[in-house]
Amino acid sequence: MEDKTRSIAVQWLVPSGILVMVLIIMLFNFTTKSKLSASDAVTRNMTSTAEACADNFREQLVLLKTIGEPVAELLGDKTSLESVYAVKMARLAVKYSGAYAVCVVDADGNGVDHTGEKISIADRAYFNQVNAVTESCHFFIEDDGIKGKNAILTSVPIESEEGKGHLLLFYPLNNFEAIVKKNDFVSWSTVALIDEAGTFLVVSGTGNDWKQGENLYEVLQGSDEDVIRKMKSRITNRVSSVSTVMIQEMETALIYVPVGENDWTIITGISQSYVNTQMDKQWGDVRNMMFQLVIVTLVFICLIVGINISGKVINYRKQEQLEEKADTDLLTGLNNKLATERKIKEYISKNPRSRAMMFILDIDNFKKINDTMGHAFGDEVLRTIGQRIGSNFRASDIIGRVGGDEFFIFLKNVTADESIKKEAKKVEAFFQDFKTGEYTKYSATASIGVAIFPEEGADFESLYKAADQALYKAKKRGKNQLAFYNDAWTEKK
């Protein structure tokens, strides 16, 4: 029964194991793809935030031109760039452009600001840059010459009858930091505005030790050269992208987005650990769902397998019970003839060299018992013999009723000569004090023939024939005794 149960379990556990392995592989692939999707989602989110920051900053720069160009055109129609009208127009530009200061100057750098104060920028470092351009343009300047601070300068040329002039709009750098904060960059890391050469023009945040005036590519020295080369190419070609580099021995994700004005780029340095944390948040729910799905699936598989194995085992037990009933002699409860022969043959085929004993018991004068005592009494004799024989031997031995008054006892694994003699005496002594009958005690005797496997018969037929010949000897010698096929065993007794 245990072997059959094990076989049933294996039949279900093997395909179930394969199913679990397939499920694990599928979940592993799904996990990998989910992580990649989460990583892509985080990258897209950071890039879109950087692009939003760049868009906001570009709008500010475009607004400076949008306000400055029509003002410059109106100023070009006037004869003097230092007139009251010029001051009013400068004030108007301050009001609507977001600039903190607006100046109107001539080709020599002399003019007025929006407050009406006369100014001269001829000695400013940026004056030559302003004079060199013929169209609206933005510059980063370290000293505005007005308030002594860094700024973004938007220069719009003025063409008047008196000659060339310039409308100068000074944009505060703290507005750039306000845009960064608006787009939630400060909590990430450091955001900087760089020019095409990689120089930091404006730096906001404290995540990396970047400083204004330093060069990005010098900061990245020691990182993968191929990564830096590709990053340079993308920045030059104004392509938004993300690169992972080492900055101060810390893995950092760099997001760079073109502003769209002056070849400037907004670059953001974000700790890779922050990126990983965001990625975990992105796919954390998916991971939990997958874990729950795995648990539910495994429980379901175990439940199905358990139910099927239990069902198979129950069916097998029922089948065994039916087979056992079919194999059982109804009168004695022992094996019937077919079951006895089958079980002995099975043992012989599986244990061709294992010594065993076959006894054939034939009740002496059983016809006389039936004739004188009645068939009911005869049945009681057979039933009692069957019950007592069954209780006197091992459960592994094969005991059966193979005829009306004939019984088989097949003892397995009887190796030693002493065991053969002992078992023979045990069977012979069984009938010496055997009595049956509830009211009338009747002493039944039996003639017994014994053959030894495999010496006296290597298969069932030859062994049965040898035991039957021994039985014939016992009857011929006067019944109520045991005889061996080989008389040498009788002498050894």
Side-chain angles (χ1 to χ4, degrees):
M1 177 63 190
E2 290 182 2
D3 292 341
K4 187 67 177 179
T5 303
R6 191 179 298 111
S7 176
I8 293 171
V10 169
Q11 290 175 6
W12 277 94
L13 290 176
V14 169
S16 297
I18 294 173
L19 178 61
V20 170
M21 287 298 296
V22 171
L23 178 64
I24 291 173
I25 292 171
M26 291 176 64
L27 288 173
F28 177 78
N29 291 334
F30 182 72
T31 299
T32 303
K33 291 180 179 178
S34 296
K35 284 185 176 180
L36 290 174
S37 297
S39 178
D40 290 342
V42 171
T43 301
R44 286 195 302 270
N45 180 51
M46 293 188 300
T47 303
S48 63
T49 303
E51 288 174 344
C53 182
D55 289 342
N56 290 342
F57 185 56
R58 182 175 60 253
E59 288 173 1
Q60 293 288 312
L61 297 180
V62 170
L63 179 62
L64 291 168
K65 284 185 179 180
T66 302
I67 298 298
E69 287 175 353
V71 170
E73 186 176 350
L74 291 172
L75 288 171
D77 296 334
K78 300 299 178 181
T79 58
S80 175
L81 297 182
E82 295 184 6
S83 64
V84 174
Y85 180 76
V87 174
K88 288 182 178 180
M89 295 304 293
R91 288 177 181 172
L92 186 66
V94 167
K95 182 177 180 179
Y96 292 104
S97 67
Y100 68 85
V102 175
C103 298
V104 181
V105 297
D106 58 21
D108 296 324
N110 301 313
V112 293
D113 64 12
H114 65 285
T115 64
E117 291 289 329
K118 290 185 178 184
I119 63 169
S120 175
I121 62 167
D123 59 345
R124 296 294 96 193
Y126 59 82
F127 181 64
N128 291 333
Q129 291 178 290
V130 170
N131 261 346
V133 296
T134 59
E135 59 183 15
S136 300
C137 193
H138 305 291
F139 303 97
F140 170 79
I141 58 175
E142 294 185 357
D143 183 358
D144 59 10
I146 300 174
K147 294 187 178 181
K149 62 181 183 180
N150 298 347
I152 290 174
L153 171 63
T154 301
S155 173
V156 182
I158 301 173
E159 298 293 339
S160 68
E161 293 180 359
E162 294 182 348
K164 184 179 178 181
H166 303 279
L167 177 68
L168 306 179
L169 299 92
F170 296 88
Y171 181 79
L173 294 185
N174 56 2
N175 280 17
F176 176 81
E177 295 183 359
I179 292 172
V180 170
K181 291 179 181 178
K182 177 182 177 182
N183 289 278
D184 195 30
F185 265 143
V186 174
S187 62
W188 289 10
S189 190
T190 304
V191 184
L193 178 69
I194 64 172
D195 60 20
E196 189 173 10
T199 302
F200 293 118
L201 304 179
V202 187
V203 179
S204 177
T206 58
N208 291 306
D209 192 20
W210 296 348
K211 293 182 176 61
Q212 185 178 307
E214 290 183 340
N215 188 276
L216 171 66
Y217 305 116
E218 292 178 358
V219 172
L220 297 180
Q221 281 183 353
S223 295
D224 190 320
E225 292 183 1
D226 188 52
V227 172
I228 296 175
R229 181 180 57 79
K230 289 180 180 178
M231 185 171 66
K232 265 186 183 180
S233 174
R234 290 168 182 165
I235 290 175
T236 302
N237 292 298
R238 303 172 186 80
V239 177
S240 298
S241 189
V242 179
S243 297
T244 302
V245 296
M246 296 298 294
I247 301 178
Q248 298 174 351
E249 298 183 354
M250 183 176 68
E251 194 174 20
T252 304
L254 291 183
I255 304 170
Y256 34 98
V257 178
V259 174
E261 292 285 331
N262 272 47
D263 298 334
W264 289 343
T265 299
I266 287 180
I267 186 162
T268 307
I270 304 172
S271 168
Q272 189 62 41
S273 61
Y274 175 86
V275 176
N276 295 338
T277 301
Q278 295 303 307
M279 187 178 72
D280 287 341
K281 289 181 181 179
Q282 284 280 342
W283 83 289
D285 292 339
V286 175
R287 179 181 54 200
N288 294 336
M289 182 187 69
M290 286 168 52
F291 179 75
Q292 293 172 3
L293 178 63
V294 169
I295 296 299
V296 170
T297 303
L298 290 177
V299 170
F300 178 75
I301 291 174
C302 291
L303 185 63
I304 294 297
V305 171
I307 290 173
N308 280 278
I309 290 176
S310 299
K312 290 283 186 180
V313 170
I314 291 171
N315 289 336
Y316 177 72
R317 285 176 177 169
K318 288 182 179 178
Q319 183 181 352
E320 267 197 337
Q321 291 173 356
L322 293 174
E323 290 176 355
E324 189 176 345
K325 287 182 180 179
D327 288 346
T328 302
D329 176 65
L330 297 179
L331 180 62
T332 62
L334 301 175
N335 292 302
N336 59 27
K337 181 178 181 181
L338 292 176
T340 303
E341 289 185 9
R342 186 185 74 249
K343 292 179 180 180
I344 293 174
K345 287 179 179 178
E346 288 175 355
Y347 178 82
I348 289 173
S349 65
K350 293 179 180 178
N351 306 274
R353 296 178 182 175
S354 178
R355 217 177 200 187
M357 298 176 70
M358 176 184 280
F359 295 84
I360 301 180
L361 286 69
D362 191 85
I363 308 301
D364 294 329
N365 307 313
F366 188 70
K367 184 175 182 304
K368 183 178 178 181
I369 295 173
N370 278 333
D371 292 342
T372 58
M373 307 294 290
H375 286 281
F377 188 81
D379 288 345
E380 185 177 353
V381 172
L382 295 175
R383 187 182 301 109
T384 305
I385 290 174
Q387 291 173 350
R388 294 186 184 177
I389 290 177
S391 63
N392 272 273
F393 296 95
R394 299 169 298 183
S396 59
D397 295 325
I398 301 170
I399 304 171
R401 180 186 174 210
V402 297
D405 60 344
E406 189 173 84
F407 294 83
F408 267 18
I409 301 175
F410 187 82
L411 304 182
K412 302 175 182 179
N413 299 316
V414 186
T415 55
D417 291 355
E418 291 76 11
S419 297
I420 290 176
K421 292 185 286 184
K422 179 181 177 182
E423 294 297 337
K425 287 180 180 179
K426 178 180 176 181
V427 174
E428 189 175 23
F430 178 81
F431 285 97
Q432 290 178 0
D433 57 351
F434 178 83
K435 288 182 173 55
T436 186
E438 187 176 351
Y439 301 106
T440 303
K441 296 296 181 182
Y442 182 82
S443 298
T445 62
S447 299
I448 307 168
V450 189
I452 310 301
F453 172 81
E455 294 99 313
E456 298 164 5
D459 55 46
F460 177 81
E461 287 74 16
S462 57
L463 186 64
Y464 171 74
K465 185 176 180 181
D468 192 54
Q469 289 179 11
L471 176 64
Y472 178 74
K473 285 182 185 180
K475 288 184 177 182
K476 189 176 180 181
R477 291 171 183 172
K479 301 182 180 180
N480 191 25
Q481 59 184 284
L482 180 146
F484 281 91
Y485 173 74
N486 186 344
D487 286 330
W489 287 106
T490 303
E491 295 171 4
K492 292 178 183 180
K493 286 202 300 177

